[in-house]
Amino acid sequence: MHDVQVDPKQATARAGGGTTWSAFNDATHSYGLATTGGVVSTTGVGGLTLGGGIGYLARGFGLSCDNLLSAEVVTAAGQVLTASEQENDDLFWALRGGGGNFGVVTAFEFGLHPVKDVYGGPLFFDRADAGAVLRAYREYIRDAPAEFGGFPAWQIAPPLPFIPEARHGETMLAFVACWAGPVEDGERALKPIRDAAPVVAEHVGVMPYPALNSAFDGLYPPGGLQHYWKANFVRELTDEAIDAHLEHGPKVPVVNSTVHIYPINGACHRVARDKTAFAYRDATFATVIAGMWPDAADNDSNIKWVRDYYDAVAPLSEEGGYVNFMSGDDQDRIKANYKGNYDRLTDVKRKYDPDNLFHLNQNIRP
Ligand SMILES: Cc1cc2nc3c(=O)[nH]c(=O)nc-3n(C[C@H](O)[C@H](O)[C@H](O)COP(=O)(O)OP(=O)(O)OC[C@H]3O[C@@H](n4cnc5c(N)ncnc54)[C@H](O)[C@@H]3O)c2cc1C
């Protein structure tokens, strides 16, 4: 179920429940349109949107779930329902952040925005300059124009042609930028980050939005990696928090693993906390410590890196985190992840899935 139908006049798209962002972006890009997706195009529209949906365009257009207009849902009882502001609005509320708890979504209808080419790509900084870059990011992102998205990332430099060969395999702080406003303004928009420290290597320029959205796909082959992730929402990236990142980030064990500090202010803050199930509308950042490595024989050391990192930053973060960045052992955090919205989610779960058929997720128990 991966067909995508675009209505360019209405600026909407209807995507089958199994669509990836790659297929979605390709379809909408033909019309110079896009909506918020993630930062890797092999990810599914389904899981990403139902958990919230954080990506390059979120500061400008909100989370993926904020752009959802309706969903066709097969419930646990086998009914086919439409969920929208007009129909089954309790279900529609829960689908926007509550994950795969409420049924199988067979079609998603999104609102689209005029985004065709963007100015962006990765900049790599020496890890000795990581503190300066993180502080510059913290300051700039407070009031940066909404068209500016992007995030700092701990990254072992892959063997890419634009990175000096002598630096391949070195751990650096990358900044992946995306300016979705007029491309001629992109350089100016990125200046506060670029000026934070000398740039070691970069691959920044004007490119189609789907090109940026798929630029890192090669690092994360679907099904090819072990995963262990942890996450927190963050309101203030304090000096103490930056120190914790500087201690643990440079220890990133393999090229596939990374830590991203996504900005979720701007348009994400303009949605009221109780408007959707996604509750952290006052968080400035969503941090993910994403452990991904090829060989199960290396599980212990990679999981240890994630846990040590998390132990250091969690006390400096909000109690909850983004459900889509969590692992199987995070189930006890489910209430914190939804703050004041949890009880209402339980009510909707009782109504649409009283026997908890859909439980292979960050589970909301009926
Ligand atoms: C490499 C990588 C990069 C990522 N980048 C981002 C990012 O930039 N931003 C972000 O927000 N998240 C990101 N994520 C996290 C991502 O949102 C979650 O992994 C999400 O679960 C992926 O959804 P999926 O449909 O691809 O996964 P699947 O494994 O297919 O589904 C995961 C779960 O989602 C639910 N689900 C999926 N489709 C449906 C459906 N049609 N109806 C009902 N329930 C459904 C089910 O509970 C299912 O078990 C990334 C994950 C990976 C692995």
Side-chain angles (χ1 to χ4, degrees):
M1 303 175 81
H2 51 80
D3 57 307
V4 182
Q5 291 154 16
V6 182
D7 182 337
K9 283 213 178 89
Q10 299 293 325
T12 61
R14 187 177 170 87
T19 309
T20 61
W21 286 105
S22 164
F24 187 91
N25 291 336
D26 285 350
T28 62
H29 184 72
S30 318
Y31 300 97
L33 298 166
T35 202
T36 305
V39 303
V40 173
S41 83
T42 53
T43 316
V45 167
L48 187 138
T49 301
L50 295 171
I54 295 170
Y56 291 117
L57 304 179
R59 294 187 71 248
F61 305 123
L63 303 169
S64 306
C65 72
D66 298 334
N67 292 284
L68 191 64
L69 300 175
S70 72
E72 180 187 79
V73 187
V74 180
T75 67
Q79 274 183 299
V80 182
L81 300 179
T82 298
S84 68
E85 294 284 4
Q86 291 76 36
E87 284 177 80
N88 302 301
D89 60 336
D90 53 350
L91 179 59
F92 187 54
W93 176 86
L95 290 177
R96 289 173 292 162
N101 271 287
F102 305 97
V104 177
V105 178
T106 44
F108 293 86
E109 187 197 359
F110 288 97
L112 304 174
H113 310 276
V115 174
K116 192 166 173 63
D117 291 344
V118 296
Y119 176 89
L123 304 157
F124 282 82
F125 296 94
D126 200 296
R127 67 172 178 273
D129 292 325
V133 178
L134 289 174
R135 277 186 285 275
Y137 168 61
R138 169 180 73 187
E139 298 311 318
Y140 181 47
I141 209 66
R142 263 191 244 277
D143 301 308
E147 297 93 331
F148 185 80
F151 54 92
W154 289 107
Q155 183 63 55
I156 294 178
L160 294 169
F162 68 90
I163 301 175
E165 211 173 319
R167 318 249 0 211
H168 292 174
E170 198 180 306
T171 302
M172 300 198 199
L173 188 85
F175 190 92
V176 185
C178 175
W179 169 255
V183 289
E184 58 276 16
D185 297 340
E187 214 174 307
R188 195 175 39 189
L190 185 54
K191 197 170 179 327
I193 304 293
R194 187 191 287 285
D195 287 353
V199 173
V200 174
E202 68 170 283
H203 195 62
V204 173
V206 177
M207 62 183 91
Y209 171 70
L212 181 61
N213 202 225
S214 56
F216 306 102
D217 290 4
L219 278 171
Y220 315 111
L225 297 170
Q226 315 296 316
H227 286 250
Y228 187 75
W229 295 28
K230 289 221 170 276
N232 277 108
F233 291 114
V234 175
R235 267 150 69 134
E236 295 287 337
L237 193 57
T238 60
D239 286 339
E240 211 183 341
I242 289 178
D243 286 346
H245 284 289
L246 296 178
E247 185 186 342
H248 293 273
K251 297 178 190 162
V252 58
V254 289
V255 69
N256 314 93
S257 285
T258 187
V259 175
H260 294 172
I261 308 174
Y262 293 106
I264 49 166
N265 57 355
C268 307
H269 280 192
R270 288 199 286 277
V271 178
R273 183 194 55 74
D274 58 356
K275 167 93 174 150
T276 65
F278 186 99
Y280 273 86
R281 297 294 181 169
D282 52 355
T284 313
F285 306 101
T287 301
V288 60
I289 306 161
M292 289 174 274
W293 61 98
D295 192 346
D298 301 326
N299 283 4
D300 289 350
S301 57
N302 283 278
I303 289 172
K304 183 174 178 344
W305 171 71
V306 175
R307 286 189 174 149
D308 289 349
Y309 201 137
Y310 175 75
D311 287 347
V313 293
L316 309 169
S317 311
E318 298 301 296
E319 200 185 346
Y322 175 40
V323 287
N324 276 353
F325 291 161
M326 295 213 175
S327 292
D329 60 1
D330 274 322
Q331 192 65 54
D332 58 339
R333 298 179 63 198
I334 190 85
K335 281 192 185 168
N337 298 337
Y338 290 108
K339 286 206 286 193
N341 287 345
Y342 183 77
D343 289 343
R344 192 167 159 196
L345 277 166
T346 310
D347 291 344
V348 182
K349 180 78 173 174
R350 277 194 202 113
K351 180 171 167 190
Y352 291 96
D353 185 16
D355 298 325
N356 206 6
L357 176 67
F358 303 111
H359 61 274
L360 298 175
N361 42 41
Q362 296 295 324
N363 194 223
I364 293 154
R365 295 204 180 87

